[in-house]
Structure formats: C-alpha cells, structure tokens
Amino acid sequence: KKKSRKYFPLSFFGSISWIAGFSYLMVWWAHQVGETIGITEEIMGLTILAAGTSIPDLITSVIVARKGLGDMAVSSSVGSNIFDITVGLPLPWLLHAFINNFSPIIVSSNGLFCAIVLLFIMLLFVILSIGACKWKMNKILGLIMFILYVVFLVVSVLLEQKTIECPVTVGSL
C-alpha cells in the first residue's frame, strides 16, 4: 500500500530493536541456564546459541530450496555467516571502543587460533563434499554436512575444555 510506505523506516528500525532485545534476552537466558547447570559460556555459545541463531537461516534455506532455488539457499547461509563475522562481531566492539576511549578488548578463548584453523579445514571439507556429490544437493550431502558439523562441534568443545591442547595460544600470537 502506498499509504503505508512512509512508515517503512519506522518499521525497519522497530524490527531491528525487537531483534536486538530478544537477542540480548536469549544470550542472558543461555548464560543463566549454563550457569545453573554448570555449562561454560563458551560451550553454550558453540551449541545452544549457535543453533538458536541458525534456525532462521534453516527455515529460509528450506523454503527457498523447496522452490527449486538451491543456489539461493546455500548463498543465504554463507552470506549470513559472512555478515555475522564482518559486521555482527566488529560493530559491538567498535561501539565499545567509542564509549571506552578506544581501550582494547581482551578476547579470551582456549584454542582460538586452532578453532579458526578448524573452521577453514571444515570449509575445505564442505567444498570437497559438495564436489564429491557432483555439485548437487542430496541426502548423502546432507548426511556428510551433518557429520562434519558434529565433528566440528566435538573438536571445538574439546578445545574449549582443554581436553585437546592447541599448540598456539592467543597470548603467544
């Protein structure tokens, strides 16, 4: 409706505000649940929060893929993660820097370097898996992707719990 178009900026920023509010609550609830049952923040982030924030991507990808637009489904998933890494992480840090006189933010994570290397290795395996399935989305590729995710999750959790020691630590970079 042409009459309602003038309200789109208000609607857009209202939607962003709702998303921000619920995101804050989701992180707070995950922290409280993790603290109550004895799960660290890192593990909650790798599991519960990661799954919770990926549900909208999953729903979007399924809807688009069922319409026969598999390329769009994959591109949406990749694009949203690139956006998260290049905008979602730096923007809050930048705001924090402006508010706190550009004081540095200490990032503490066991095996951060190894987790990043693991992420690139997983990306390589994903590309190889897609190639092995002749660039077609099928049940075998879905199973391979699920197995790759479980492997990534297990190794990441083991790195965070220091069951597997990362030879390079953040402090020694």
Side-chain angles (χ1 to χ4, degrees):
K1 296 179 182 180
K2 285 189 176 188
K3 195 175 187 180
S4 300
R5 286 186 184 181
K6 63 182 177 183
Y7 297 113
F8 90 88
L10 181 64
S11 298
F12 177 76
F13 288 111
S15 298
I16 297 296
S17 298
W18 278 106
I19 291 169
F22 280 119
S23 296
Y24 176 82
L25 290 174
M26 184 175 70
V27 170
W28 179 68
W29 289 328
H31 172 77
Q32 294 301 319
V33 168
E35 199 172 79
T36 301
I37 60 178
I39 299 174
T40 65
E41 292 175 359
E42 293 85 1
I43 305 302
M44 291 298 285
L46 279 168
T47 55
I48 306 301
L49 290 179
T53 58
S54 296
I55 297 298
D57 289 339
L58 171 70
I59 293 168
T60 304
S61 294
V62 168
I63 291 170
V64 172
R66 284 189 176 170
K67 290 183 177 183
L69 303 169
D71 289 346
M72 185 184 286
V74 173
S75 297
S76 171
S77 295
V78 172
S80 68
N81 287 308
I82 296 295
F83 180 84
D84 290 347
I85 292 169
T86 59
V87 177
L89 286 176
L91 188 61
W93 290 347
L94 186 62
L95 291 173
H96 179 275
F98 281 135
I99 293 169
N100 294 301
N101 252 355
F102 294 96
S103 63
I105 299 170
I106 298 170
V107 177
S108 173
S109 177
N110 301 326
L112 181 62
F113 177 79
C114 287
I116 292 170
V117 170
L118 177 62
L119 193 59
F120 281 109
I121 291 169
M122 294 304 293
L123 181 60
L124 176 67
F125 277 116
V126 165
I127 293 169
L128 291 173
S129 300
I130 295 171
C133 290
K134 298 181 180 159
W135 303 97
K136 295 192 187 272
M137 302 287 279
N138 55 36
K139 291 179 183 177
I140 294 170
L141 181 60
L143 179 63
I144 291 170
M145 296 280 193
F146 185 75
I147 291 169
L148 287 173
Y149 175 70
V150 169
V151 168
F152 175 78
L153 193 60
V154 167
V155 173
S156 295
V157 167
L158 292 175
L159 279 168
E160 283 298 329
Q161 292 182 333
K162 293 187 179 179
T163 305
I164 299 174
E165 281 293 323
C166 183
V168 179
T169 60
V170 176
S172 68
L173 288 176

